[in-house]
Amino acid sequence: GYATLDLQREERTGFPEVIYGEGKTREQILGIFTKLMEHHQKVLATRVSNEKAVYIIAELRRLHPDDTFHYHEAARTLHWIASGYQERWKEGYIAVVCAGTSDLPVAEEAAITAELMGNKIERIYDIGVAGLHRLLNKVQLIEGANVVIVVAGMEGALASVVGGLVSKPVVAVPTSIGYGASMNGIAALLAMLSSCASGVSVVNIDNGFGAGYFAATMTNTI
Amino acid sequence: GYATLDLQREERTGFPEVIYGEGKTREQILGIFTKLMEHHQKVLATRVSNEKAVYIIAELRRLHPDDTFHYHEAARTLHWIASGYQERWKEGYIAVVCAGTSDLPVAEEAAITAELMGNKIERIYDIGVAGLHRLLNKVQLIEGANVVIVVAGMEGALASVVGGLVSKPVVAVPTSIGYGASMNGIAALLAMLSSCASGVSVVNIDNGFGAGYFAATMTNTI
Amino acid sequence: GYATLDLQREERTGFPEVIYGEGKTREQILGIFTKLMEHHQKVLATRVSNEKAVYIIAELRRLHPDDTFHYHEAARTLHWIASGYQERWKEGYIAVVCAGTSDLPVAEEAAITAELMGNKIERIYDIGVAGLHRLLNKVQLIEGANVVIVVAGMEGALASVVGGLVSKPVVAVPTSIGYGASMNGIAALLAMLSSCASGVSVVNIDNGFGAGYFAATMTNTI
Amino acid sequence: GYATLDLQREERTGFPEVIYGEGKTREQILGIFTKLMEHHQKVLATRVSNEKAVYIIAELRRLHPDDTFHYHEAARTLHWIASGYQERWKEGYIAVVCAGTSDLPVAEEAAITAELMGNKIERIYDIGVAGLHRLLNKVQLIEGANVVIVVAGMEGALASVVGGLVSKPVVAVPTSIGYGASMNGIAALLAMLSSCASGVSVVNIDNGFGAGYFAATMTNTI
Amino acid sequence: GYATLDLQREERTGFPEVIYGEGKTREQILGIFTKLMEHHQKVLATRVSNEKAVYIIAELRRLHPDDTFHYHEAARTLHWIASGYQERWKEGYIAVVCAGTSDLPVAEEAAITAELMGNKIERIYDIGVAGLHRLLNKVQLIEGANVVIVVAGMEGALASVVGGLVSKPVVAVPTSIGYGASMNGIAALLAMLSSCASGVSVVNIDNGFGAGYFAATMTNTI
Amino acid sequence: GYATLDLQREERTGFPEVIYGEGKTREQILGIFTKLMEHHQKVLATRVSNEKAVYIIAELRRLHPDDTFHYHEAARTLHWIASGYQERWKEGYIAVVCAGTSDLPVAEEAAITAELMGNKIERIYDIGVAGLHRLLNKVQLIEGANVVIVVAGMEGALASVVGGLVSKPVVAVPTSIGYGASMNGIAALLAMLSSCASGVSVVNIDNGFGAGYFAATMTNTI
Amino acid sequence: GYATLDLQREERTGFPEVIYGEGKTREQILGIFTKLMEHHQKVLATRVSNEKAVYIIAELRRLHPDDTFHYHEAARTLHWIASGYQERWKEGYIAVVCAGTSDLPVAEEAAITAELMGNKIERIYDIGVAGLHRLLNKVQLIEGANVVIVVAGMEGALASVVGGLVSKPVVAVPTSIGYGASMNGIAALLAMLSSCASGVSVVNIDNGFGAGYFAATMTNTI
Amino acid sequence: GYATLDLQREERTGFPEVIYGEGKTREQILGIFTKLMEHHQKVLATRVSNEKAVYIIAELRRLHPDDTFHYHEAARTLHWIASGYQERWKEGYIAVVCAGTSDLPVAEEAAITAELMGNKIERIYDIGVAGLHRLLNKVQLIEGANVVIVVAGMEGALASVVGGLVSKPVVAVPTSIGYGASMNGIAALLAMLSSCASGVSVVNIDNGFGAGYFAATMTNTI
Ligand SMILES: Nc1ncnc2c1ncn2[C@@H]1O[C@H](COP(=O)(O)O)[C@@H](O)[C@H]1O
Ligand SMILES: Nc1ncnc2c1ncn2[C@@H]1O[C@H](COP(=O)(O)O)[C@@H](O)[C@H]1O
Ligand SMILES: Nc1ncnc2c1ncn2[C@@H]1O[C@H](COP(=O)(O)O)[C@@H](O)[C@H]1O
Ligand SMILES: Nc1ncnc2c1ncn2[C@@H]1O[C@H](COP(=O)(O)O)[C@@H](O)[C@H]1O
Ligand SMILES: [Mg+2]
Ligand SMILES: [Mg+2]
Ligand SMILES: [Mg+2]
Ligand SMILES: [Mg+2]
Ligand SMILES: [Mg+2]
Ligand SMILES: [Mg+2]
Ligand SMILES: [Mg+2]
Ligand SMILES: [Mg+2]
């Protein structure tokens, strides 16, 4: 068949396999989603286009009329939580910080992922370095988090600046926002990797999912 | 002058400014090192070439005859701990895993940094995916860590494989080991960023220091 | 004219010229296909879009009402075998392994090509390193093959891991599955070329055809 | 001959031809320097290695025993001002800001060039974003300048942050300080070009000379 | 909310926050535009596609029936000036020079931006180096400007040639005009950064806005 | 206005300004075309999309009902020759060789350009190195040319092989035919530039026009 | 310790672990070499610089006075075969073809590796496409091989040409011979991956070892 | 042996095989040089380092005491002409133009090559676009040539400007002169390939030899 599901992943790594929606047909996503619902209490699919989502949700509702399915249009995430599932929320919160309004879809993907993994989220959006006081106003709130996710495109300077201001681990997400020399996020990616601030690590361009997931593995340890 | 030291960094981020040894003259490194010793109980300089280290250590010993200075030749780190300083060791340990013998200098830079920041280290070296049983033998030990640092050059596959096997956050460090298409670590860097395993974040090529530091900020939170 | 067919290729290299569908008009593909049918018993065209295929197949059926034409929508291959052609199947089989469901179109292109060249195929799909036990379950089956084709996108780690587990030649195919730092398959390509496992060679990104063909030249020699 | 000097450049652009020292033999640099001294009151050569400088200065002193020649070892600039030349200093000053001690050679090249072109310089060094208060302490001084030159390596975030804080034109100079993903200054270059702050333009990596020169053309207009 | 407006930017840097239209929904752009109109006398949005502009202008007109809104289709800029606002025009003019007709949209974005910031503009279009006399005819006019903006795609040679002919600061804008080795503007960008003429600085590919803004900060200083 | 035509170009370089169709509106192309017709006897526009061509030709026919306009759909060239113009054909011919059927549009652009400049053309298509005898059959014909244009995508090996077989100058045109590592023609471009055969020079990717023009300047000299 | 030897590799993949000499100290190489000698009958180390080899061989001879150690200066390989070991030579031979004299070190690394793995080698050197008859003279000999290794730098065209002439699998090795656009072997690598001939797969730049090893895994299957 | 000389090359392409000195040992170069002397009346070796040249020339003089050998230190060319050889000089001359003094070694390599192939050379050096009048003074002389070779580093603008001024074919040679964004000649290479002037073709970075050779094949045809 087209899929060999990793049904032991939850046991091994703490969260079920997440469906990567790109490059899969809507029928394949639906098939995998349905199968995972049989074995887990949460299912998440990422990078599900609006077009595919319409079909998949309709089918899911037809097959599981008593369940609720959540699709976030900007973040392109589709998820399900078993009705009756009781979340055990982690202590404290994860701060999701983004530089500009245009970075919002990636920030939301991170927030939704980490939330689904049992973390409370503090969303702090559009506080990029071009207007530094916006960030300085929020330093306390950011320092208060367990982990900080910083989402930024263009030159990605926000990650370094946040990294220099707080003692918490900073997970940086470069976004593809920008043009020309920003090279679809390569400029921000290289900049974040070269950060002069020390407590910063980086995930792939536009990979809000990865940042949210990584941050959640950290709070597992707490 | 040539330096504006950030003497508040320890208070703000939990660890004093670390000296980046490249592009500085040996006199500048010595000057900054000495100054930092006045304000802190630990000082770390990274990327200090053997050649510069000989001069700097000689001078430091002349100026501070009662202190001990540690230079690691492969890792190129130079550090000092105030005599009488009592480390408060973190609970548990950080696993530093590397793929091959050639990755050892970077792995040591990570281990030394994290250790200096109060973490016990489990070194698990030369267990790359070409001989997978070596890794499988160590999965328990790796899973037992608070955080896992994975150091690998060439194709950097070890990060994905470890990421798929354990529930702990994995901080991946690509190294410049390899040639041709490995492009001085770019191949491993891109691979680690594109990892199909989810709890993986990445630092700069050969940046053992950054990985050790980042891991230590995580254990601070615990 | 627009084409100078290489009608001696079968004699020289063992298989007739294969039509590269991109950059050709549907009329050109049809014209070349028809011409090749006059001189050979099998004709293969690759990278034929769905849109072009509809026209070409309709025309082929009109011109050759007694023949069967096979179009694989995901793999975008179009082929014909002369009716009455008796395949001489090679001993043993080629294993076509892929990392994720999204790599399936490339894996199928490889499988179809190698099959058309007289090889039995064992398809082993969606066993990427994020869930390693899926691969470990199949090691015997893979080792049993004459040649192994490994298809993987993102970081392409599967090629190295398979290469380290079996004694058979591994032909790696990077796919363009992934985003950001995966750079349309460049990350997987560089990683596979830099593999720390030794018996691995690589073909172009998404070049399932090339892998299938190359594998088949190997089994010719057996 | 090996050179066609542009003796009209001063008249046309306000400053004599500057000798680019790389790729020229020490004899060629000496020859051009001597020739330019005959037609101008200032001569500047850049990127003159220490090795070449020793020879050239010795020869210049032999030929012009009454003149003074200035060589800056870190900046690798060699210049001469005709004795008796009376500088007409521009109103105000140019701020030369750099992120770290390692960026000092490039910052000095900028400062020396702009100074030679009649500008007073305010040097503000080692105030990178990892310790933001260092910059915030200097905002007044920077805002007071006619033009601001920002020199930074690694991720080059300082340019954006300064650009967001002041109303003056910011000329950004990426440096090759850093390693791995910093790609010899490419990361900082791309980041500065992609700056989310608006009044920033950029010169070549390590091109302190170009930044100093460009800033000076601006103050000409004042 | 989705935006944290930087309402102090005008006070700090001399011009209100400019809306970056890409990656924002039309509703977001409209919301921010309207908000900024409450605090400032000019509002500028860049990179607003034709499609979005139709909706936004219609809404703006509905909400502010007495105001005039200006949309430039090629430049994709949308701006508003408070009725009754009295511009204080700067002395002299900025020259906006472009190499070819195809560079016109970027040149217009620069001209509109600088004009909105109080500068008179001299447009000198389609005088690229393939027909050098066209440029030579205009040297006087260009030399007469306070600052020169040079917009060019393909190999971007015009910036160097203008830089060598005049004494004024030259702000170079590479455009994405060209194909193949021009690499969407990378060729022109690298060329302009490597210019052998000295008074040249560079902004991002297609960044007419940035060039206009930067030039205007310079004339502020005059 | 949007254009400053270079009406002296024919006198200076032997051929009137050629219109680059990309990035220009159909109205701009029409306007320039019409203007050039007033001053020259031939007008050529390249990279004119089918869509624009329909409009432009219709308008041209309306304005100049007695003239003939030639549009080549694959090559995207639009040209006009004044009725009654008497071509002075050059001695001998230019060989336009291409590797595959997919390279035909670029080859035709070269052939049309060189023909319009007074050269007879020998078209030798689809003789790539995968079937070497096709080329070997044509060596005499190629050697007989004044200049040889070699058009090839993928790995572009044909240029080196032809370059090694004949004594005539070889102008190589890489095409964007291929995928993955062919990188839209970069592979062929780099390969052609690195050719081990000596008499080979190269033009931009897909630049059939440039190759045809360059070849024609050579035959001018004959 | 610094190494975790993979002593089961021979059993699993048919050949003992090969020592990668770069990035290892001479003491580490010696230590691993000696250890492997205890468990295997052949030991191979690659990329051992002349400088390291002098020390290592001296030590090996001291420790094992009765054994013979082979160092190839150009190929930088060091190997040992247990005295009394009786090779079981494979049927037929592997052809190692190279384009130019400068490619010889890589070709030798391939030949030595494959030979050590039990294959007879036919060396066919310096027959690049600039003088095609040299290759055409050898087609029979190449076709007679089980597998063909083609080693070429610059544009790497030889791989495609050989691939189009024979029916045997072609393993292509790009070399770093060349300059400028050859980009240390990237041009040849991309070209070989984009080959228009079908039975070609590719290993890393300068990876003669990998090609020899891969070819040998193929002949294992025969 | 290490070499398969292409002794028919002169007959086929008009000039004997030229020795590429890089990657060959001094013994290999000597061996090939000596062999070629037996079959031809001219022998040329390029890229022969000073170090190798000392040995080779000494040996050549020992072996051929009556012959003269020419080594150009900057151009790194070594050549021999049979004593008594009577050159048949081509009509007219080739212009070799370079932008700066630093480009001289490449320009000389071109000039020496073309001269050895029977062309008179007009050397026009250091006339880059930063001082345009230098070029304008020489336009007549350049237009008078059969072919023009333009050698330039940094942004390589000279090629476009010359291409726009003359009717002769322009062969552009990018040089690696420059730093940072000039990327060892990549900036000039891309710029020259993207030239807005039409009669320009390009050879590899620093490939003076290739430009001289190509130009000479053109004058053969005259
Ligand atoms: N020249 C070479 N190129 C690529 N891989 C190699 C080479 N030599 C040895 N190897 C492989 O590289 C790996 C090196 O791992 P290590 O020695 O532990 O760093 C081993 O699995 C070898 O099989
Ligand atoms: N947005 C995402 N970015 C990166 N990896 C993902 C994303 N969504 C899911 N994944 C992972 O990608 C892998 C997809 O494999 P497959 O679905 O089999 O192609 C799974 O292991 C997921 O955990
Ligand atoms: N090995 C390293 N890699 C990356 N950053 C470092 C390293 N060592 C020190 N740093 C950081 O780099 C910055 C260097 O700034 P400076 O020393 O002023 O040039 C400091 O903020 C350090 O925290
Ligand atoms: N450090 C530098 N960076 C960039 N350009 C320079 C530098 N120093 C001098 N130049 C310019 O580079 C050009 C060098 O040309 P040439 O000396 O003839 O090779 C001159 O026009 C100088 O104005
Ligand atoms: Mg905002
Ligand atoms: Mg090892
Ligand atoms: Mg899967
Ligand atoms: Mg500092
Ligand atoms: Mg024009
Ligand atoms: Mg064909
Ligand atoms: Mg040779
Ligand atoms: Mg000069």
Side-chain angles (χ1 to χ4, degrees), chain F residues 35-48:
Chain F
K35 193 84 191 169
L36 289 174
M37 285 174 68
E38 293 171 21
H39 293 81
H40 301 287
Q41 300 214 271
K42 294 169 182 172
V43 177
L44 172 62
T46 64
R47 300 198 154 235
V48 181

PDB file of all heavy atoms in Angstrom, chain F residues 35-48:
ATOM      1  N   LYS F  35       8.110  52.769 -33.795  1.00  0.00           N
ATOM      2  CA  LYS F  35       9.113  53.833 -33.870  1.00  0.00           C
ATOM      3  C   LYS F  35      10.364  53.348 -34.623  1.00  0.00           C
ATOM      4  O   LYS F  35      10.897  54.065 -35.485  1.00  0.00           O
ATOM      5  CB  LYS F  35       9.518  54.235 -32.445  1.00  0.00           C
ATOM      6  CG  LYS F  35      10.298  55.523 -32.357  1.00  0.00           C
ATOM      7  CD  LYS F  35       9.358  56.707 -32.331  1.00  0.00           C
ATOM      8  CE  LYS F  35      10.069  58.033 -32.513  1.00  0.00           C
ATOM      9  NZ  LYS F  35       9.066  59.106 -32.752  1.00  0.00           N
ATOM     10  N   LEU F  36      10.800  52.139 -34.302  1.00  0.00           N
ATOM     11  CA  LEU F  36      12.003  51.618 -34.954  1.00  0.00           C
ATOM     12  C   LEU F  36      11.773  51.422 -36.452  1.00  0.00           C
ATOM     13  O   LEU F  36      12.692  51.598 -37.259  1.00  0.00           O
ATOM     14  CB  LEU F  36      12.446  50.301 -34.300  1.00  0.00           C
ATOM     15  CG  LEU F  36      13.035  50.420 -32.886  1.00  0.00           C
ATOM     16  CD1 LEU F  36      13.290  49.044 -32.285  1.00  0.00           C
ATOM     17  CD2 LEU F  36      14.331  51.236 -32.893  1.00  0.00           C
ATOM     18  N   MET F  37      10.537  51.062 -36.828  1.00  0.00           N
ATOM     19  CA  MET F  37      10.228  50.880 -38.249  1.00  0.00           C
ATOM     20  C   MET F  37      10.448  52.168 -39.039  1.00  0.00           C
ATOM     21  O   MET F  37      10.752  52.119 -40.240  1.00  0.00           O
ATOM     22  CB  MET F  37       8.778  50.397 -38.418  1.00  0.00           C
ATOM     23  CG  MET F  37       8.576  48.931 -38.052  1.00  0.00           C
ATOM     24  SD  MET F  37       6.822  48.447 -38.101  1.00  0.00           S
ATOM     25  CE  MET F  37       6.484  48.543 -39.871  1.00  0.00           C
ATOM     26  N   GLU F  38      10.304  53.285 -38.352  1.00  0.00           N
ATOM     27  CA  GLU F  38      10.503  54.563 -39.049  1.00  0.00           C
ATOM     28  C   GLU F  38      11.966  54.808 -39.409  1.00  0.00           C
ATOM     29  O   GLU F  38      12.266  55.577 -40.314  1.00  0.00           O
ATOM     30  CB  GLU F  38      10.020  55.727 -38.170  1.00  0.00           C
ATOM     31  CG  GLU F  38       8.519  55.735 -37.951  1.00  0.00           C
ATOM     32  CD  GLU F  38       8.118  56.762 -36.904  1.00  0.00           C
ATOM     33  OE1 GLU F  38       8.910  57.712 -36.666  1.00  0.00           O
ATOM     34  OE2 GLU F  38       7.030  56.618 -36.314  1.00  0.00           O
ATOM     35  N   HIS F  39      12.866  54.209 -38.642  1.00  0.00           N
ATOM     36  CA  HIS F  39      14.289  54.522 -38.831  1.00  0.00           C
ATOM     37  C   HIS F  39      15.117  53.398 -39.428  1.00  0.00           C
ATOM     38  O   HIS F  39      16.284  53.596 -39.757  1.00  0.00           O
ATOM     39  CB  HIS F  39      14.927  54.900 -37.482  1.00  0.00           C
ATOM     40  CG  HIS F  39      14.405  56.164 -36.925  1.00  0.00           C
ATOM     41  ND1 HIS F  39      13.217  56.245 -36.228  1.00  0.00           N
ATOM     42  CD2 HIS F  39      14.903  57.432 -36.983  1.00  0.00           C
ATOM     43  CE1 HIS F  39      13.009  57.494 -35.856  1.00  0.00           C
ATOM     44  NE2 HIS F  39      14.011  58.244 -36.313  1.00  0.00           N
ATOM     45  N   HIS F  40      14.538  52.200 -39.502  1.00  0.00           N
ATOM     46  CA  HIS F  40      15.348  51.072 -39.950  1.00  0.00           C
ATOM     47  C   HIS F  40      14.599  50.247 -40.994  1.00  0.00           C
ATOM     48  O   HIS F  40      13.420  50.476 -41.240  1.00  0.00           O
ATOM     49  CB  HIS F  40      15.702  50.178 -38.768  1.00  0.00           C
ATOM     50  CG  HIS F  40      16.471  50.901 -37.695  1.00  0.00           C
ATOM     51  ND1 HIS F  40      17.782  51.265 -37.824  1.00  0.00           N
ATOM     52  CD2 HIS F  40      16.084  51.348 -36.475  1.00  0.00           C
ATOM     53  CE1 HIS F  40      18.184  51.890 -36.726  1.00  0.00           C
ATOM     54  NE2 HIS F  40      17.165  51.958 -35.889  1.00  0.00           N
ATOM     55  N   GLN F  41      15.297  49.258 -41.536  1.00  0.00           N
ATOM     56  CA  GLN F  41      14.655  48.397 -42.536  1.00  0.00           C
ATOM     57  C   GLN F  41      14.347  47.009 -41.988  1.00  0.00           C
ATOM     58  O   GLN F  41      13.694  46.210 -42.652  1.00  0.00           O
ATOM     59  CB  GLN F  41      15.570  48.276 -43.770  1.00  0.00           C
ATOM     60  CG  GLN F  41      15.839  49.649 -44.391  1.00  0.00           C
ATOM     61  CD  GLN F  41      15.956  49.545 -45.889  1.00  0.00           C
ATOM     62  OE1 GLN F  41      17.026  49.323 -46.419  1.00  0.00           O
ATOM     63  NE2 GLN F  41      14.814  49.660 -46.553  1.00  0.00           N
ATOM     64  N   LYS F  42      14.858  46.771 -40.827  1.00  0.00           N
ATOM     65  CA  LYS F  42      14.537  45.511 -40.147  1.00  0.00           C
ATOM     66  C   LYS F  42      14.247  45.842 -38.686  1.00  0.00           C
ATOM     67  O   LYS F  42      14.946  46.680 -38.106  1.00  0.00           O
ATOM     68  CB  LYS F  42      15.731  44.550 -40.151  1.00  0.00           C
ATOM     69  CG  LYS F  42      16.153  44.024 -41.498  1.00  0.00           C
ATOM     70  CD  LYS F  42      17.498  43.315 -41.343  1.00  0.00           C
ATOM     71  CE  LYS F  42      18.008  42.814 -42.668  1.00  0.00           C
ATOM     72  NZ  LYS F  42      19.401  42.290 -42.524  1.00  0.00           N
ATOM     73  N   VAL F  43      13.271  45.151 -38.102  1.00  0.00           N
ATOM     74  CA  VAL F  43      13.039  45.293 -36.666  1.00  0.00           C
ATOM     75  C   VAL F  43      12.838  43.897 -36.088  1.00  0.00           C
ATOM     76  O   VAL F  43      12.116  43.073 -36.664  1.00  0.00           O
ATOM     77  CB  VAL F  43      11.822  46.183 -36.355  1.00  0.00           C
ATOM     78  CG1 VAL F  43      11.567  46.232 -34.851  1.00  0.00           C
ATOM     79  CG2 VAL F  43      12.042  47.587 -36.896  1.00  0.00           C
ATOM     80  N   LEU F  44      13.482  43.648 -34.980  1.00  0.00           N
ATOM     81  CA  LEU F  44      13.354  42.342 -34.315  1.00  0.00           C
ATOM     82  C   LEU F  44      12.968  42.551 -32.854  1.00  0.00           C
ATOM     83  O   LEU F  44      13.543  43.400 -32.165  1.00  0.00           O
ATOM     84  CB  LEU F  44      14.696  41.585 -34.398  1.00  0.00           C
ATOM     85  CG  LEU F  44      14.813  40.280 -33.586  1.00  0.00           C
ATOM     86  CD1 LEU F  44      13.811  39.223 -34.036  1.00  0.00           C
ATOM     87  CD2 LEU F  44      16.241  39.712 -33.698  1.00  0.00           C
ATOM     88  N   ALA F  45      11.964  41.789 -32.402  1.00  0.00           N
ATOM     89  CA  ALA F  45      11.632  41.752 -30.974  1.00  0.00           C
ATOM     90  C   ALA F  45      11.744  40.307 -30.516  1.00  0.00           C
ATOM     91  O   ALA F  45      11.288  39.399 -31.213  1.00  0.00           O
ATOM     92  CB  ALA F  45      10.230  42.283 -30.725  1.00  0.00           C
ATOM     93  N   THR F  46      12.346  40.074 -29.359  1.00  0.00           N
ATOM     94  CA  THR F  46      12.505  38.706 -28.848  1.00  0.00           C
ATOM     95  C   THR F  46      11.702  38.533 -27.571  1.00  0.00           C
ATOM     96  O   THR F  46      11.279  39.496 -26.954  1.00  0.00           O
ATOM     97  CB  THR F  46      13.983  38.399 -28.534  1.00  0.00           C
ATOM     98  OG1 THR F  46      14.411  39.269 -27.484  1.00  0.00           O
ATOM     99  CG2 THR F  46      14.868  38.607 -29.746  1.00  0.00           C
ATOM    100  N   ARG F  47      11.492  37.271 -27.193  1.00  0.00           N
ATOM    101  CA  ARG F  47      10.786  36.943 -25.950  1.00  0.00           C
ATOM    102  C   ARG F  47       9.426  37.634 -25.873  1.00  0.00           C
ATOM    103  O   ARG F  47       9.016  38.154 -24.842  1.00  0.00           O
ATOM    104  CB  ARG F  47      11.649  37.307 -24.743  1.00  0.00           C
ATOM    105  CG  ARG F  47      12.965  36.542 -24.779  1.00  0.00           C
ATOM    106  CD  ARG F  47      13.691  36.488 -23.484  1.00  0.00           C
ATOM    107  NE  ARG F  47      14.529  35.288 -23.476  1.00  0.00           N
ATOM    108  CZ  ARG F  47      14.495  34.361 -22.551  1.00  0.00           C
ATOM    109  NH1 ARG F  47      13.676  34.484 -21.518  1.00  0.00           N
ATOM    110  NH2 ARG F  47      15.263  33.300 -22.626  1.00  0.00           N
ATOM    111  N   VAL F  48       8.743  37.593 -27.008  1.00  0.00           N
ATOM    112  CA  VAL F  48       7.380  38.111 -27.073  1.00  0.00           C
ATOM    113  C   VAL F  48       6.433  36.936 -26.899  1.00  0.00           C
ATOM    114  O   VAL F  48       6.387  36.041 -27.748  1.00  0.00           O
ATOM    115  CB  VAL F  48       7.124  38.808 -28.430  1.00  0.00           C
ATOM    116  CG1 VAL F  48       5.710  39.361 -28.479  1.00  0.00           C
ATOM    117  CG2 VAL F  48       8.159  39.906 -28.672  1.00  0.00           C
TER     118      VAL F  48
END
